[in-house]
């Protein structure tokens, strides 16, 4: 992709020309070809974990760049298989999920025990497998939000996985149990030489105030990221922030929630999407744990939306994108095209860190 094509997709040059006046990039650890040596390499990760992280960063079209493009397909459980794959039924077959990741030039494919276990002997040596070991489920009536274990870290290791992934619903009534479960699982994964990726999501009905949803507020998602790195997730997966002021909204009236400092909003962030994302990066221990943002749900303008998210993430100092529904809820050809467009952003020298 060339710059003029990117500008055409974005609709303007605004994101490419934006200059931040908040957190300087000099305070961040920026993705680079030497990121593993300089950042992960000085941590307590053992050589086997470093090798696994190296396989993630060393595969696909972005290999050697310091950036990641991951295909995640766990929606068969999280969102129900019928609802997720009705748009393209070939993805009921796990092999097509892995094929899309390979043909799309991804660094890795993330999915369930069932999906990856069904084809692991054929593909574990061809593309890094990331086994997601906990999920929500949508058959309990009424539906509830809770992440429960679907298998063990040892099972993921036996199928040749390079990494394990998990979700914690921070802020939920079940978050304490989830933090303990995932912390123990991540410790075991590291002991076995696998990398760890944490989906740092928020879940609490109280996070919606006066019809404004603060589940995607930069201050709250940033703190979730900070907790995720604290339990030694190597990579943090987070949704792109859409607003700020979650702590403020939750402290209106007679409530007393969390802790805040006005400089979180006046000096460490602005209302610009790149600055909001940078606040998420800052909370990933200044970028020592790579931040990959979600590609989001499929819609009418998937290509534009995906490329826009990639530009925001890269310019903020993030490490890449994890994009699923936008890729697999269309033909494989179009899915590959979308994944390649995301990767092109990270390969473009013209798209720089703010």
């Amino acid at each position: 992709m060339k710059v003029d094509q990117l500008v055409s997709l974005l609709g303007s040059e605004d994101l490419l020309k934006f200059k931040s006046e908040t957190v300087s990039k000099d305070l961040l650890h920026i993705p680079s070809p030497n990121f593993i040596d300089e950042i992960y390499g000085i941590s307590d990760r053992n050589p086997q974990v470093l090798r696994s992280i190296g396989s993630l960063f060393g595969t696909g079209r972005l290999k050697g760049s310091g950036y990641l493009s991951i295909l995640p397909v766990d929606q068969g459980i999280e969102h129900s298989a019928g609802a997720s794959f009705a748009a393209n039924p070939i993805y009921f077959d796990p092999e097509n999920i892995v094929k899309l990741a390979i043909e799309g030039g991804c660094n890795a494919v993330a999915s369930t025990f069932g999906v990856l276990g069904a084809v692991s002997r054929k593909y574990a040596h061809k593309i890094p497998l990331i086994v997601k070991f906990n999920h929500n489920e949508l058959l309990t009536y009424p539906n509830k939000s809770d992440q429960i274990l679907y298998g063990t870290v040892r099972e993921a290791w036996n199928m040749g996985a390079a990494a394990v992934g998990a979700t914690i619903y921070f802020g939920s009534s079940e978050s304490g149990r989830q933090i303990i479960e995932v912390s123990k699982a991540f410790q075991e994964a590291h002991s076995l030489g696998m990398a760890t990726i944490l989906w740092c999501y928020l879940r609490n009905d109280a996070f919606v105030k006066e019809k404004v949803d603060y589940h995607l507020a930069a201050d709250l998602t940033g703190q979730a990221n900070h907790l995720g790195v604290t339990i030694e997730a190597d990579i943090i997966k987070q949704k792109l922030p859409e607003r700020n002021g979650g702590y403020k909204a939750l402290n209106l009236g007679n409530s007393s929630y969390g802790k805040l400092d006005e400089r979180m909003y006046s000096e460490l962030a602005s209302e610009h999407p790149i600055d909001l994302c940078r606040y998420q990066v800052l909370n990933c221990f200044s970028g020592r744990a790579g931040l990959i943002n979600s590609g989001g749900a499929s819609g009418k303008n998937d290509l534009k939306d995906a490329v826009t998210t990639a530009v925001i993430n890269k310019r903020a100092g993030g490490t890449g994108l994890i994009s699923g529904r936008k890729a697999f809820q269309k033909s494989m050809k179009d899915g590959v095209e979308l994944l390649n467009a995301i990767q092109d952003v990270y390969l473009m020298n013209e798209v720089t860190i703010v």
Side-chain angles (χ1 to χ4, degrees):
M1 185 188 302
K2 296 181 180 179
V3 177
D4 58 341
Q5 293 173 305
L6 177 60
V7 173
S8 178
L9 271 176
L10 294 173
S12 75
E13 298 183 25
D14 291 349
L15 286 177
L16 299 177
K17 291 185 174 181
F18 174 71
K19 295 182 180 180
S20 177
E21 296 181 358
T22 57
V23 176
S24 169
K25 67 180 181 181
D26 296 332
L27 295 180
L28 303 178
H29 302 281
I30 304 298
S32 74
N34 299 319
F35 196 82
I36 296 175
D37 291 337
E38 296 173 355
I39 305 302
Y40 294 116
I42 66 170
S43 72
D44 62 355
R45 276 61 168 178
N46 65 52
Q48 298 284 3
V49 174
L50 296 180
R51 182 174 66 177
S52 293
I53 294 174
S55 72
L56 295 177
F57 283 94
T59 302
R61 293 183 72 229
L62 296 183
K63 64 181 179 182
S65 68
Y67 291 103
L68 295 170
S69 168
I70 296 173
L71 176 72
V73 187
D74 61 354
Q75 287 85 355
I77 296 178
E78 295 284 352
H79 301 154
S80 89
S84 300
F85 303 137
N88 196 348
I90 69 168
Y91 292 112
F92 276 101
D93 185 339
E95 186 166 13
N96 287 322
I97 293 172
V98 182
K99 283 182 176 179
L100 175 60
I102 293 174
E103 294 185 24
C106 293
N107 297 72
V109 56
S111 196
T112 67
F113 278 102
V115 166
L116 298 179
V119 294
S120 63
R121 288 184 181 273
K122 184 173 181 178
Y123 290 105
H125 58 295
K126 297 178 181 178
I127 185 171
L129 307 181
I130 302 168
V131 178
K132 183 88 162 26
F133 61 73
N134 70 354
H135 305 278
N136 194 15
E137 55 88 16
L138 291 176
L139 281 178
T140 299
Y141 187 87
N143 288 159
K144 62 181 180 180
S145 292
D146 190 11
Q147 289 286 319
I148 57 177
L149 300 177
Y150 275 66
T152 67
V153 171
R154 178 70 62 166
E155 286 179 83
W157 181 78
N158 280 332
M159 74 171 68
V164 294
T167 297
I168 292 177
Y169 284 153
F170 290 106
S172 71
S173 59
E174 299 85 9
S175 63
R177 190 205 80 242
Q178 293 169 14
I179 290 171
I180 293 171
E181 288 178 349
V182 174
S183 296
K184 291 180 178 178
F186 277 9
Q187 187 279 327
E188 183 180 6
H190 278 158
S191 71
L192 291 171
M194 291 184 289
T196 57
I197 303 175
L198 187 64
W199 279 239
C200 293
Y201 287 172
L202 301 177
R203 284 292 188 280
N204 195 315
D205 290 341
F207 291 170
V208 180
K209 290 290 185 182
E210 298 180 352
K211 297 183 179 180
V212 179
D213 191 346
Y214 290 97
H215 282 91
L216 298 182
D219 53 353
L220 299 183
T221 56
Q223 182 61 23
N225 291 357
H226 200 78
L227 295 177
V229 187
T230 297
I231 64 172
E232 295 210 322
D234 301 314
I235 297 166
I236 296 294
K237 192 264 191 182
Q238 183 58 269
K239 297 180 180 180
L240 201 66
E242 295 181 357
R243 56 182 51 86
N244 213 344
Y247 279 116
K248 288 184 176 182
L250 292 165
N251 275 286
L252 293 177
N254 297 321
S255 65
S256 177
Y257 175 75
K259 300 289 183 182
L260 64 89
D261 186 309
E262 282 296 330
R263 287 169 291 189
M264 292 162 55
Y265 311 103
S266 61
E267 298 179 17
L268 300 183
S270 74
E271 293 302 316
H272 195 280
I274 293 176
D275 280 341
L276 293 176
C277 185
R278 173 153 294 181
Y279 186 75
Q280 290 184 339
V281 175
L282 186 66
N283 274 278
C284 291
F285 287 15
S286 298
R288 285 185 180 273
L291 171 69
I292 53 176
N293 285 120
S294 169
S298 182
K300 294 181 179 180
N301 301 299
D302 282 346
L303 189 59
K304 176 184 177 180
D305 293 344
V307 168
T308 298
T309 304
V311 170
I312 292 171
N313 174 272
K314 184 179 182 183
R315 299 215 70 205
T319 302
L321 245 59
I322 183 165
S323 188
R325 283 171 286 173
K326 280 182 168 60
F328 73 75
Q329 289 185 334
K330 49 178 56 69
S331 71
M332 187 169 292
K333 177 180 178 295
D334 289 343
V336 168
E337 178 184 343
L338 183 138
L339 292 169
N340 287 169
I342 290 171
Q343 295 150 11
D344 286 345
V345 171
Y346 292 98
L347 293 172
M348 294 177 68
N349 294 328
E350 295 86 353
V351 181
T352 58
I353 308 295
V354 173

